[in-house]
Amino acid sequence: MKIVVCVFLVVAHGISTVSATDRSVVILVPSPSDDRLPPAKDAIAFWNQMLADVGSATRLLRPAVVFETPRSVENYARLIAQRVGRLPVPDELEPEIPSTLRNLNADIVLLLSGQDVMSYAWALPHTESDRYLVVIRKVRSLDRGDPMVSRHVVAHELGHTFGLLHNEDSHTLMCGPCQPLTAESDARGFLPLTAAERIYLLERYGTR
């Protein structure tokens, strides 16, 4: 079993309380038969249960699913993936967000990409709200048919959209790096959050 997670993201550091509100999700997927779609929905359900467990008021809404991914969105996803590990650039040098992506009515756009790029979560610049593009790479041959891989990658990247960074505990969901072969999942089949991460979610997103 192999779980691959990103090493690159853009999130705000520090804890700042945000309004306790539900967050909308759109999933862009190449076809209804894509193996990553059910695990992606599992990951969204996991986060809603986790948010409920810690007492947070925020929830992810039932995702809207779009079965045709605009080429402009895939092109943008590739441009961002190519920036992995590089220093920040001036705003005027940032790749322009395509209108097809900007106009999607969602706080989180989850792209199940047709490209073999690194999975990542990217805070969309120059937008009025806290919006993210989450890109999940094309399934590689070694991972094909293993829903655990896909759902952990999606759950990990969604964690970044809540402001969670990588931690040093290799047996947790937000690990970086990870050691999944020696990790124990919870009853739902997901790796756990740390106690500090659970506190962070509650402090940032408040209670019902």
Side-chain angles (χ1 to χ4, degrees):
M1 187 187 309
K2 180 181 180 183
I3 298 177
V4 181
V5 296
C6 76
V7 296
F8 170 72
L9 68 155
V10 175
V11 294
H13 293 271
I15 297 179
S16 56
T17 302
V18 298
S19 300
T21 182
D22 294 332
R23 303 175 73 189
S24 56
V25 181
V26 168
I27 302 177
L28 302 179
V29 57
S31 74
S33 61
D34 194 291
D35 291 341
R36 296 167 294 176
L37 183 56
K41 293 181 177 179
D42 287 345
I44 291 172
F46 161 81
W47 270 108
N48 281 335
Q49 184 61 58
M50 182 57 61
L51 291 164
D53 288 349
V54 303
S56 171
T58 297
R59 297 290 184 273
L60 296 176
L61 296 175
R62 182 177 180 179
V65 181
V66 178
F67 291 116
E68 289 187 13
T69 302
R71 183 181 296 275
S72 60
V73 177
E74 285 279 21
N75 289 342
Y76 180 76
R78 185 178 66 256
L79 289 174
I80 300 303
Q82 290 171 349
R83 294 193 51 204
V84 172
R86 297 182 182 177
L87 295 174
V89 298
D91 288 349
E92 62 270 18
L93 297 181
E94 285 281 2
E96 183 177 356
I97 303 172
S99 60
T100 47
L101 175 57
R102 186 182 294 274
N103 294 337
L104 285 172
N105 186 26
D107 299 307
I108 300 171
V109 176
L110 176 56
L111 170 62
L112 304 183
S113 180
Q115 305 178 85
D116 189 7
V117 297
M118 180 173 291
S119 298
Y120 62 85
W122 174 255
L124 292 174
H126 314 305
T127 57
E128 296 179 356
S129 60
D130 188 26
R131 299 186 64 196
Y132 280 83
L133 171 66
V134 174
V135 176
I136 306 301
R137 62 166 173 74
K138 179 181 179 181
V139 176
R140 295 169 180 168
S141 58
L142 291 177
D143 303 335
R144 190 172 301 281
D146 189 345
M148 181 178 178
V149 172
S150 292
R151 67 181 179 177
H152 274 90
V153 172
V154 176
H156 177 100
E157 301 305 340
L158 287 176
H160 290 317
T161 73
F162 288 109
L164 298 179
L165 302 177
H166 290 148
N167 64 53
E168 296 180 354
D169 189 336
S170 59
H171 295 153
T172 62
L173 180 67
M174 301 307 297
C175 53
C178 302
Q179 294 181 9
L181 293 179
T182 57
E184 292 186 10
S185 59
D186 63 14
R188 291 162 293 192
F190 285 91
L191 296 178
L193 299 181
T194 65
E197 289 165 347
R198 293 168 67 92
I199 293 172
Y200 171 90
L201 291 172
L202 185 58
E203 289 182 347
R204 186 176 189 198
Y205 294 99
T207 59
R208 285 197 181 274

